[in-house]
């Protein structure tokens, strides 16, 4: 492998292409931006896709989750648009608002030294920031289809000179829910544009749908026989449906992962599971399509910043979202389609790191779990549910260890103040009621120790997201009003 390429995740094709390009070949202002992001070498997909992208060809690029796809289209976009042209020259369409924000943030950094400015266009927030961005001459639009159509219909977004169109998570963008919007957007774009599709999964039906958008595309696949990341270990627990909630809490308490996204199939399930975990004192929060956008961004910001341990989510969080160091992905419910398993579990094991995917399988979902494993050519190992007694003992051990650690670190004057409580402690331990008080204090201690530290003032992450304007979500006058798109 060329030493110009950053370590591929296992199972990825080794890149020895004559057209391989390295970071040294980039213009200095983009190299500087890559350095700002801490990137020193291309990932395999970047090394393959960037040289092909800059030739102007249409491309279908299939590469595993977390392999650097955003850079693979972000770098050439920044390179190819003209900074002095203050009009929309490239459009990147994504299936979710969160992914829009994440991609826009990466493109903002990549374009910083070159004077290329992207604007994020997505629903659930006011129009003002987006209109200002468009009027200000943003050269790149990153957005979700519904709000982009709004801006096109009102005349605020003129796509007629957008010579580059990227469909990120292309299989989702060309799925039933988005296909009509995609066609409407395409109609307004120049015919001689360059169109590119990027996704971890590009099944044959998506390839044929994609041909309606792409012109004689080159197919670049960085996945050999497998679409999965070998760094992810797959496990499953057999559990009765009715006991899933308590068993999930037991597993989390026994195994004590640093962080996890817990995927549910419905908003209702998300609400129930997250409330159940919180009741048990675990540091959990929820995100689903019916949450207000600013709350979605706040929760997503916390899990990304590492200040929330357990995020319970519908698939709105599954696509493309990049969370460094996510330890576990849990399928509380087995996903409705086999490829969704890959997108969900791809939130962990990113950029060569290891990760664990856990599925809770009841008699009800055993069939779909088997299908997902077979379709994705995965092997999952069964795990025994932790015994109730064992979990209680481990909780106690961990709580005691944390108390002892805190005691060791106590400053002498604080220790003296704590000692003043000794007589009270002796009295409490002598009676049944007093022991109940001690048990309650231990429980509180355990809850606190489970919580991640409070959020620091964030640099980057969702904190960079445009502040939702105080105005209600209302189309400016004269603008045709569309139904808001919730996913
Ligand atoms: P993506 O697949 O685009 O979501 O990227 C996954 C992660 O890889 C992100 O955290 C990127 O910042 C990171 N990444 C992308 N390109 C590179 C690179 N060339 N070197 C190191 N990290 C990278």
């Amino acid at each position: 492998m060329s030493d110009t390429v950053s370590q591929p995740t296992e199972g990825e094709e080794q890149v020895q292409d004559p057209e391989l390009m390295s970071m040294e070949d980039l213009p200095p202002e983009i190299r500087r931006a890559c350095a700002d992001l801490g990137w020193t070498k291309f990932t395999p997909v970047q090394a393959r896709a960037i040289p092909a992208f800059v030739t102007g060809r249409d491309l279908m690029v299939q590469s595993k989750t977390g392999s650097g796809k955003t850079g693979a289209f972000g770098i050439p976009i920044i390179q190819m648009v003209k900074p002095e042209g203050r009009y929309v020259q490239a459009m990147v369409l994504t299936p979710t608002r969160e992914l829009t924000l994440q991609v826009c943030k990466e493109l903002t950094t990549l374009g910083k030294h070159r004077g290329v400015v992207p604007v994020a266009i997505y629903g659930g927030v006011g129009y003002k920031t987006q209109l200002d961005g468009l009027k200000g001459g943003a050269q790149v639009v990153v957005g979700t289809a519904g709000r982009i159509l709004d801006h096109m219909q009102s005349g605020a977004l003129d796509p007629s000179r957008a010579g580059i169109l990227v469909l990120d998570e292309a299989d989702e963008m060309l799925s039933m829910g988005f296909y009509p919007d995609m066609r409407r957007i395409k109609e307004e774009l120049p015919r001689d544009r360059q169109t590119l599709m990027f996704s971890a999964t590009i099944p044959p039906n998506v390839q044929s749908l994609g041909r309606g958008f792409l012109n004689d595309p080159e197919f670049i696949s960085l996945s050999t026989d497998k679409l999965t990341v070998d760094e992810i270990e797959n496990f499953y627990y057999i559990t009765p449906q009715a006991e899933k909630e308590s068993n999930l809490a037991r597993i989390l308490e026994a195994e004590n992962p640093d962080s996890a996204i817990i995927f549910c199939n419905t908003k209702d399930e998300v609400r129930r599971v997250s409330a159940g975990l919180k009741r048990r004192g675990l540091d959990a929060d929820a995100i689903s399509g019916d949450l207000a956008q600013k709350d979605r961004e706040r929760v997503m910001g916390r899990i990304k910043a590492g200040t929330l341990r357990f995020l319970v989510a519908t698939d709105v969080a599954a696509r493309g979202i990049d969370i460094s160091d996510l330890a576990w992905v849990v399928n509380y419910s087995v996903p409705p389609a086999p490829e969704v398993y890959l997108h969900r579990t791809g939130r962990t094991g990113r950029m060569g790191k290891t990760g664990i995917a856990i599925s809770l399988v009841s008699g009800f979902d055993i069939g779909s779990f088997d299908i997902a494993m077979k379709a994705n050519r995965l092997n999952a190992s069964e795990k025994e549910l932790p015994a109730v007694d064992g979990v209680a003992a481990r909780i106690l051990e961990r709580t005691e260890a944390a108390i002892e650690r805190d005691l060791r670190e106590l400053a002498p004057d604080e220790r003296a103040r704590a000692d003043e409580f000794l007589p009270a402690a002796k009295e409490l331990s002598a009676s049944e009621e007093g022991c109940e008080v001690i048990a309650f204090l231990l429980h509180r201690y355990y809850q606190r120790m489970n919580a991640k530290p409070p959020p620091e003032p964030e640099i980057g992450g969702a904190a960079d997201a445009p502040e939702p304007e105080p105005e209600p979500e209302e189309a400016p006058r004269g603008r045709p009003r569309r139904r808001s798109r919730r996913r």
Side-chain angles (χ1 to χ4, degrees):
M1 189 183 78
S2 158
D3 68 357
T4 56
V5 178
S6 166
Q7 191 60 40
T9 47
E10 205 160 319
E12 290 233 295
E13 201 175 87
Q14 299 289 299
V15 181
Q16 283 160 348
D17 197 300
E19 291 180 26
L20 192 85
M21 188 176 160
S22 86
M23 240 172 222
E24 283 75 54
D25 302 318
L26 293 175
E29 60 275 25
I30 302 183
R31 263 200 334 257
R32 252 175 79 204
C34 289
D36 292 345
L37 285 163
W39 303 355
T40 51
K41 295 171 185 173
F42 281 151
T43 66
V45 65
Q46 291 165 357
R48 280 284 297 280
I50 294 171
F53 195 138
V54 295
T55 64
R57 268 203 86 155
D58 284 4
L59 301 178
M60 284 189 192
V61 182
Q62 174 169 286
S63 177
K64 288 176 202 170
T65 55
S67 57
K69 286 195 288 286
T70 317
F73 61 76
I75 289 170
I77 287 179
I78 300 299
Q79 191 173 344
M80 290 163 82
V81 302
K82 298 185 196 80
E84 66 282 5
R86 309 301 289 177
Y87 56 90
V88 176
Q89 299 170 50
M91 284 183 29
V92 179
L93 298 179
T94 84
T96 67
R97 300 163 186 176
E98 284 73 20
L99 191 55
T100 283
L101 282 169
Q102 183 177 295
V103 169
C104 190
K105 186 168 169 243
E106 199 158 302
L107 262 59
T108 303
T109 310
L110 287 171
K112 188 169 72 183
H113 303 300
R114 202 161 179 263
V116 176
V117 184
V119 59
I121 302 284
Y122 58 104
V125 291
Y127 283 81
K128 188 170 179 308
T129 311
Q130 302 178 0
L131 289 170
D132 288 348
L134 291 167
K135 278 191 208 126
Q139 301 96 337
V140 184
V141 160
V142 183
T144 51
R147 184 58 76 87
I148 284 183
L149 279 167
D150 277 355
H151 284 294
M152 278 166 51
Q153 283 171 358
S154 75
L157 195 172
D158 172 13
S160 65
R161 288 193 285 170
I164 299 175
L165 172 68
V166 170
L167 308 186
D168 192 12
E169 303 293 336
D171 58 337
E172 176 81 358
M173 297 308 298
L174 295 178
S175 67
M176 291 285 284
F178 284 112
Y179 190 72
D181 283 353
M182 300 308 301
R183 289 198 48 174
R184 286 173 64 200
I185 293 172
K186 182 189 82 160
E187 295 306 312
E188 306 297 323
L189 291 165
R191 278 187 187 283
D192 61 350
R193 70 179 184 275
Q194 183 184 5
T195 310
L196 308 100
M197 293 179 15
F198 285 78
S199 187
T201 45
I202 307 188
N205 68 320
V206 174
Q207 283 185 37
S208 60
L209 281 176
R211 293 211 169 83
F213 286 75
L214 279 68
N215 179 20
D216 185 25
E218 181 183 340
F219 191 84
I220 296 181
S221 175
L222 268 287
S223 318
T224 45
D225 58 330
K226 293 173 92 178
L227 297 171
T228 47
V229 181
D230 285 344
E231 284 77 6
I232 300 177
E233 284 187 276
N234 298 276
F235 296 102
Y236 67 98
Y237 291 88
I238 298 285
T239 159
Q241 183 68 23
E243 289 166 30
K244 265 193 180 179
E245 239 178 89
S246 54
N247 283 337
L248 170 66
R250 237 160 85 195
I251 294 166
L252 294 176
E253 284 178 326
E255 302 284 341
N256 202 21
D258 242 23
S259 56
I261 294 194
I262 296 145
F263 281 105
C264 299
N265 286 357
T266 64
K267 296 171 192 171
D268 203 42
E269 205 167 68
V270 165
R271 269 193 296 272
R272 263 191 299 109
V273 172
S274 122
L277 294 180
K278 279 186 196 162
R279 260 199 316 278
R280 288 180 157 82
L282 294 166
D283 181 28
D285 211 338
I287 184 171
S288 68
D290 61 357
L291 214 64
Q293 181 58 22
K294 67 174 186 336
D295 293 324
R296 274 166 64 162
E297 284 165 28
R298 179 184 51 75
V299 177
M300 196 55 94
R302 283 190 63 206
I303 188 94
K304 281 190 177 191
T307 58
L308 172 70
R309 272 187 87 188
F310 302 124
L311 173 67
V312 188
T314 50
D315 284 304
V316 80
R319 284 288 178 159
I321 293 297
D322 182 41
I323 301 168
S324 56
D325 295 326
L326 182 73
W328 276 24
V329 165
V330 178
N331 289 299
Y332 182 82
S333 288
V334 173
E339 68 272 16
V340 178
Y341 186 92
L342 294 188
H343 290 291
R344 285 183 178 180
T345 54
R347 299 312 100 218
T348 181
R350 295 175 78 74
M351 291 308 283
K353 291 181 182 151
T354 55
I356 288 188
I358 297 282
S359 297
L360 299 188
V361 182
S362 69
F364 175 69
D365 14 53
I366 207 152
S368 31
F369 183 69
D370 273 352
I371 291 171
M373 291 302 101
K374 287 207 183 87
N376 295 315
R377 276 170 271 172
L378 288 171
N379 282 318
S381 320
E382 184 176 354
K383 277 200 153 199
E384 290 286 321
L385 285 168
V388 179
D389 293 356
V391 176
R394 285 179 79 167
I395 289 176
L396 189 60
E397 265 168 34
R398 281 206 300 272
T399 312
E400 280 175 1
I403 293 174
E404 279 162 18
R405 199 174 46 242
D406 282 358
L407 268 176
R408 273 196 305 277
E409 286 165 8
L410 216 56
D413 58 333
E414 223 188 326
R415 177 150 217 152
R417 277 203 300 281
D419 283 349
E420 288 170 15
F421 285 92
L422 266 175
K426 281 189 186 138
E427 205 179 309
L428 283 173
S429 65
S431 72
E432 184 73 18
E433 293 79 18
C435 284
E436 275 174 21
V437 174
I438 295 172
F440 167 74
L441 292 176
L442 288 172
H443 164 72
R444 265 292 144 86
Y445 206 96
Y446 173 67
Q447 271 185 326
R448 298 229 167 105
M449 128 205 161
N450 269 325
K452 291 255 186 182
E456 308 249 328
E458 281 171 43
I459 304 167
D464 275 1
E467 271 292 300
E469 296 101 35
E471 62 177 293
E473 194 196 341
E474 184 177 276
R477 235 200 298 254
R479 169 182 312 225
R481 187 131 174 85
R482 300 182 84 254
R483 207 159 34 87
S484 96
R485 178 167 296 278
R486 283 267 152 81
R487 300 200 71 251

